[in-house]
Structure formats: C-alpha cells, structure tokens
Amino acid sequence: MIRQKKMAGRALLLAGPPATGKTALALGISQELGSKVPFCPMVGSEVYSSEVKKTEVLMENFRRAIGLRIKENKEVYEGEVTELSPEEAESTTSGYGKSISHVIIGLKTVKGTKQLKLDPTIYDALIKEKVAVGDVIYIEANSGAVKRVGRCDSFATEYDLEAEEYVPIPKGEVHKKKEIVQDVTLHDLDAANAQPQGGQDILSLMGQMMKPRKTEITDKLRQEINKVVNRYIDEGIAELVPGVLFIDEVHMLDIECFSYLNRALESPLSPIVILATNRGICNVRGTDMTSPHGIPVDLLDRLVIIRTETYGPTEMIQLLSPASVVAKANGREKISKADLEEVSGLYLDAKSSARLLQEQQERYIT
C-alpha cells in the first residue's frame, strides 16, 4: 500500500503488549522501503518541553521524515587523486609563520589526467573529507564543494581486511558535466534557511557564546520552503521521498497533539506515520474521555490497526534458529541438547541477566 501511494491521509497503529516486536516491525518497514528513505523514531513523551511547543516538536519530526532527492547537472572535476601538494607561503595577515597559498592536485580518469591549482579554502574542504592519494573525488566547478566517493579499486588488494568502499576509476574526461544526486530532508532545508537569532550588542554576543537554546522555525519559513520544493518537483529537478515517522508510546500525547496529527496527515507533504502503544481502554491525555488505546475516535478511524501478540509455541520454534546455526557449524543437521546449552550461555533474558548480576555482584563496580 505504501509503495503504491495508497496510504495518503492514513497511518498505522501497532497495538500489543511490550516486547512483541512493534519497534522491530516499524524498522522492518523502513528497511523494506529502501536505504535512502528517511526513518525518524520518537517517543510520545518527547513533545513535552519548556522551550518548544508540543506541535512544533511534532512538526519538526514530521519534516525529518520527509526526504527530497535533488538531481542536478553540474560542472565537475572528477577522478582518482594522483597528487596532493599544498604550497606554503609567508603569511601576510600575521607577522610570523606560514600559510597555505594554494594546493596542487592531480586527477586521473580512464581517458587522461589533469593537474589543478586550487584555492586554500578548497584545501580545507579536502582535509575535512579526509582525501588522500588514491581516493576518487569530485570537485564542483562553481562552488568548490568537494565530495569523496571512495577508494579507487586498484588499491583493493592493498589490505586483506578493511572498512573501505572501493569504486572504479571514473570514465570520460576529468572536466565534465555530471548528474549529482543529493538526499536531504525538509528539516535540513528548514534549519539551513533559518535566520540566526540575536543582534550585535554585548548581551546577544554573550548569548551566542553560551550553549544555544532550541529555537522554533517559523511557519512562514516552512511555507516558503514548501513553495520552492513544489516548484522543483514540478520542474522535475527534485523528487519527494516520503519516509517513516515512528511514534512510540502514542498514548502519552494529549488532545492538542492528536488534533494536530489529524491535520498533518491531510497535508500533501506527509510521511508514513506509524504509531505504537501497549495500552487498552484508557483516558485520552488531557481529557476525561476514555477511548481505545488512549487515542481519540476521529483519529482511530484513520488508522490501520495491526495487533501484535506475545510469542506462542510456533514462534518459540523460530527462536531455535541460533541453535540451528551452531548445529550446522558443527556439521549436524539436527539440533542437540549441547547446542541449546551453548546458545543459552550466549543469550540471556532479563530475568537470567538480573540473577547473574545478583550472584556475581562482587565482580562489578558499585
């Protein structure tokens, strides 16, 4: 339903006792939709803050769960780094020491090589991206932005084991036009375009030096960003990627938050909302009204409710899979008692863990 975009204005409710896999189901849905789909988890009690309104916290998380895939054709210099030589010169600003005047970088592709003389600010970007000789990078011609793609696959046999991503050497010329794909969320755009608070007086400067407080992004700014996003979508420059907003302990939200959720689900820019609760019939927070799962009836009508249950004998059999792995590793098809004993020594439930801590408390720091 989500892939076919039939979940517009609807949401999922996972209802069941604790430890029945509600969070795991939400994570599984997110993974099934793809690695580039935003997943924003939150707990119902997070909305209560002395600094930010409840609806503002909800809106922020809504926009964290909505992705935007921007495709642009940019003029870039791309290739494997063959040379990286910063050139130093006497500093003109301070009276002593040296500073980087420029950097010489060599880039190689299948078709040829090119040597570039770059500004010192681009060298700072190279340092930030941890670029070294043998890496495949591209540098945007108009902005000077640097992106490290990975390590060239010609170095793949350098080590037996390492956590490095190897990529082939780029084809074509070093200087070319390339389609750049960027994945951002609407909240990233909100935060990037928010104006900094405070003036130039001494109190404002002191406030900026201290730890910044969480401030709200105005609705006017969001509306302007929505207009730009919609224009990009209409022009085919960007593609909207609805993510997953997972709200655990949804019964902790009050009537004001539920009213806001009702309105937010009707928005054209809305993610897939998954709610989870372990409550039955209880009061809606902030009212004397009782309702299933502590959620108002008008919102319940929008929800697709999925019930989760505790493990039964069928599911218990599935829990024997670790023992099956041990048995196969020892060359057996059937699980023996020894396999179960070995696995039970590796995995502890809450009660066994508490009992072990009590028995061996002298070994732990108190």
Side-chain angles (χ1 to χ4, degrees):
M1 289 174 70
I2 293 171
R3 282 200 178 121
Q4 294 173 0
K5 299 186 178 179
K6 293 182 179 178
M7 287 291 293
R10 304 290 293 273
L12 289 176
L13 173 64
L14 304 176
T20 53
K22 296 186 290 293
T23 307
L25 272 174
L27 282 166
I29 291 170
S30 172
Q31 292 297 320
E32 187 70 21
L33 291 172
S35 59
K36 297 291 185 180
V37 175
F39 180 79
C40 180
M42 66 171 290
V43 182
S45 55
E46 287 180 19
V47 302
Y48 302 106
S49 168
S50 59
E51 298 177 354
V52 184
K53 292 184 293 188
K54 293 173 283 190
T55 53
E56 173 67 22
V57 176
L58 279 174
M59 173 57 85
E60 183 178 308
N61 283 286
F62 256 80
R63 292 177 76 84
R64 283 183 195 274
I66 303 171
L68 194 68
R69 188 163 296 148
I70 304 169
K71 298 177 182 178
E72 292 181 279
N73 284 317
K74 291 187 176 180
E75 196 176 330
V76 299
Y77 293 92
E78 184 182 36
E80 177 197 343
V81 179
T82 56
E83 179 189 1
L84 189 60
S85 308
E87 299 291 335
E88 293 184 341
E90 293 294 334
S91 177
T92 55
T93 54
S94 57
Y96 57 91
K98 292 184 177 182
S99 62
I100 303 296
S101 63
H102 62 274
V103 60
I104 303 295
I105 188 169
L107 295 177
K108 182 177 76 173
T109 63
V110 173
K111 274 199 173 182
T113 60
K114 195 175 186 70
Q115 194 177 62
L116 304 173
K117 183 179 178 181
L118 304 177
D119 189 77
T121 54
I122 300 179
Y123 179 65
D124 295 336
L126 290 167
I127 296 296
K128 191 176 179 181
E129 285 284 321
K130 298 179 181 178
V131 173
V133 174
D135 291 344
V136 174
I137 67 167
Y138 67 80
I139 306 170
E140 294 180 13
N142 57 344
S143 64
V146 178
K147 174 69 177 176
R148 182 181 183 272
V149 182
R151 190 81 172 155
C152 185
D153 57 6
S154 59
F155 293 86
T157 57
E158 193 174 3
Y159 301 102
D160 293 330
L161 184 65
E162 62 173 325
E164 188 64 82
E165 183 181 355
Y166 290 100
V167 294
I169 187 168
K171 298 176 182 178
E173 301 288 345
V174 173
H175 188 202
K176 68 182 84 169
K177 285 196 173 182
K178 182 179 179 180
E179 186 182 65
I180 307 295
V181 180
Q182 289 179 300
D183 288 298
V184 296
T185 65
L186 293 187
H187 176 71
D188 294 336
L189 298 177
D190 294 342
N193 288 279
Q195 294 296 323
Q197 302 292 321
Q200 293 299 317
D201 58 291
I202 188 68
L203 290 176
S204 297
L205 291 172
M206 286 179 66
Q208 290 169 19
M209 290 169 64
M210 297 170 65
K211 186 178 179 181
R213 296 179 68 185
K214 191 175 177 64
T215 56
E216 296 182 12
I217 298 166
T218 61
D219 285 336
K220 186 178 179 182
L221 174 66
R222 288 197 176 108
Q223 287 170 8
E224 291 297 323
I225 289 172
N226 287 350
K227 286 180 185 176
V228 175
V229 167
N230 287 329
R231 191 175 78 243
Y232 280 1
I233 293 170
D234 292 340
E235 292 173 358
I237 297 172
E239 174 192 356
L240 200 67
V241 184
V244 176
L245 173 61
F246 176 59
I247 306 177
D248 205 356
E249 296 180 9
V250 71
H251 54 268
M252 292 297 294
L253 300 181
D254 61 11
I255 191 69
E256 184 183 347
C257 295
F258 286 127
S259 300
Y260 180 81
L261 274 177
N262 251 333
R263 185 173 69 87
L265 284 171
E266 294 174 353
S267 169
L269 298 177
S270 177
I272 294 98
V273 181
I274 300 177
L275 313 175
T277 181
N278 53 17
R279 298 295 174 92
I281 304 290
C282 62
N283 283 353
V284 177
R285 191 180 174 100
T287 69
D288 296 328
M289 177 177 61
T290 58
S291 181
H293 312 298
I295 300 172
V297 179
D298 57 341
L299 181 58
L300 274 175
D301 290 340
R302 290 179 174 272
L303 303 179
V304 177
I305 303 175
I306 299 173
R307 187 177 68 174
T308 59
E309 297 179 344
T310 53
Y311 291 124
T314 307
E315 290 81 12
M316 291 295 184
I317 294 171
Q318 294 178 359
L319 295 176
L320 294 173
S321 56
S324 173
V325 173
V326 173
K328 287 178 181 177
N330 293 326
R332 296 191 304 275
E333 289 296 326
K334 292 185 178 180
I335 300 171
S336 66
K337 185 180 177 182
D339 299 327
L340 289 170
E341 289 174 350
E342 183 177 346
V343 169
S344 63
L346 295 173
Y347 299 97
L348 296 176
D349 58 18
K351 289 182 180 178
S352 301
S353 178
R355 186 174 65 250
L356 187 67
L357 286 171
Q358 192 171 10
E359 291 172 356
Q360 301 181 0
Q361 57 184 338
E362 69 280 354
R363 298 186 184 182
Y364 298 93
I365 298 173
T366 56

